[in-house]
Amino acid sequence: MSEIGIGTVTTKVPARLDRLPWSRWHWMIVIGLGTVWILDGLEVTIVGNLSAQLAKEGSGLEITQTQVAGTAAALYVAGACLGALFFGWLTDRFGRKKLFIITMIVYLVATAMTALSFSAWWFFLFRFLTGFGIGGEYAAINSAIDELIPSRYRGRIDIIINGSYWLGAAGGALLTVPLLNNFAVNIGWRIAFGLGVVLGLAILLVRRHVPESPRWLFIHGRDREAEQLVDEIEERVEQEKNVRLEEPAQSMTIHQRKSIGFGQIAHTMVARYPRRTILGFSLFVGQAFLYNAITFGYAQILSTFYGIDTNTGYFFAVIAVGNFLGPLLLGHLFDTVGRVPMIAGTYIGSGVLLLGTAWLFAQGALTSVTLTACWCVVLFFASAGASSAYLTVSEIFPMETRAMAIAFFYAIGTFVGGVAGPLVFAGLVESGVPGDTALAFSIGAILMIAAGLVEVFLGVKAEGKGLEDIAEPLSTAPADASR
């Protein structure tokens, strides 16, 4: 598709957004958009912890635990990959707000249908469609958050929001315990999916008040609407803080456009920013394989090696807390110490710790409790690193390609690690041989370390910089070209 131009305009919108102090308005953005990761964590964890229950006779589904942890998990991730690409393109073309509403609706419908599953094929179909909606959320939400949050806060907010996935994981893990123990085998798992629908509806209500990205508006020929929106935001912030915001000196001139073709998107990523493309791919493959392979199968590990099948939620909740504390406590360092040392350190550090865990597991030196403790430490660092992968690809490419860049790296990285990972990992765990499971741990560790080394050599120093300073918009024009 060829691009369609509109006109040329000079604007201070990016500078005006970046110089805003933190306010209640920003909290509304965080709550309305960031909470989607809680849903994703809830979804993945519920399925992982329910795998043994779903496989029991009388569950209402003729399905095996390996099919739940392997096939269904892989279909969920495959749906997320395709959804990211499809909705990512629509997000760049039609705007952030339309798509983060549509993708949430897709998620809600698919999750409700999952709760009504009556056979394995129905369960597989709607796990795929649930992933399709969640994948679209990643592209639309990350784009909007980075374009609305001031540059000096962007790193920590993005990382903490992505890390909030694990709040959902902890909640999902704890919810499965009473659902598995206090309800009939064919009822508890349906209630679990139903709770995801309730949470999604609450998020949708808040999300209605989140505005379109002013950055997207002025590039797509709606500069007056963008200026008016920023005027309203500034007025709210000034009233709350009782301050008078100074007019920023920095402005930019851009050629407005309605759309951008796939050819130019590909050229931008491959020809204009090849080093950044390699960086994004490496970070996503490393974290995706580690998380999608291991997270989907952790309940299977407890069941296979330790005979725990109904109380896996307690163990997973501990891991989830460690995962959330990593981004929460380390997030601000990505803005102060810097992107490169923190991303490289969290990737390499978690990989080394995981290799140690794999060796201990292969030696039979770990119990269910000590394995959980090891994982808690490993994922404290890995979670901050994984969250920084989303931050990286959302800020190092031009505005016009942001959603597609997020979608592309999420889809490619997650497909390599997330589809192959659960399928391979489920088979390795099913063998019941500790060395096979340790091999899966080791593969994930090596990929994390490799990604950390790529960051050392190709990382971008983006801390504290405006998005337009990190990657100049493709639409940028000489200042004297403005109308």
Side-chain angles (χ1 to χ4, degrees), residues 41-42 45 164-176 313 316-321:
L42 187 73
T45 309
S164 68
Y165 169 99
W166 293 101
L167 288 178
L174 292 175
L175 279 172
T176 59
F316 203 93
V318 173
I319 288 177
V321 170

Side-chain angles (χ1 to χ4, degrees), residues 227-367:
E227 297 285 350
Q228 181 180 356
L229 176 56
V230 176
D231 286 343
E232 294 172 357
I233 296 170
E234 288 176 336
E235 183 179 352
R236 291 178 61 177
V237 173
E238 286 178 337
Q239 289 179 353
E240 176 189 340
K241 300 295 183 180
N242 194 27
V243 297
R244 180 66 179 175
L245 297 171
E246 295 183 3
E247 185 74 7
Q250 186 179 2
S251 64
M252 64 181 302
T253 303
I254 56 102
H255 291 300
Q256 297 172 310
R257 62 181 78 199
K258 282 292 187 183
S259 63
I260 183 171
F262 280 112
Q264 188 166 359
I265 293 174
H267 180 270
T268 299
M269 298 175 69
V270 176
R272 187 169 178 176
Y273 294 109
R275 292 164 60 91
R276 296 183 180 190
T277 298
I278 294 171
L279 172 64
F281 177 77
S282 301
L283 294 179
F284 265 86
V285 168
Q287 65 86 27
F289 196 96
L290 179 106
Y291 273 99
N292 287 296
I294 307 304
T295 302
F296 278 124
Y298 191 67
Q300 190 181 8
I301 294 174
L302 293 176
S303 175
T304 301
F305 293 98
Y306 303 109
I308 299 169
D309 58 1
T310 60
N311 293 312
T312 58
Y314 291 127
F315 293 90
F316 203 93
V318 173
I319 288 177
V321 170
N323 268 285
F324 179 64
L325 288 177
L328 182 65
L329 299 179
L330 301 178
H332 71 283
L333 298 177
F334 289 79
D335 284 323
T336 55
V337 174
R339 302 285 201 266
V340 175
M342 287 305 300
I343 295 173
T346 51
Y347 267 76
I348 294 172
S350 61
V352 171
L353 290 169
L354 180 54
L355 284 176
T357 301
W359 183 81
L360 291 172
F361 185 83
Q363 301 302 308
L366 297 176
T367 65

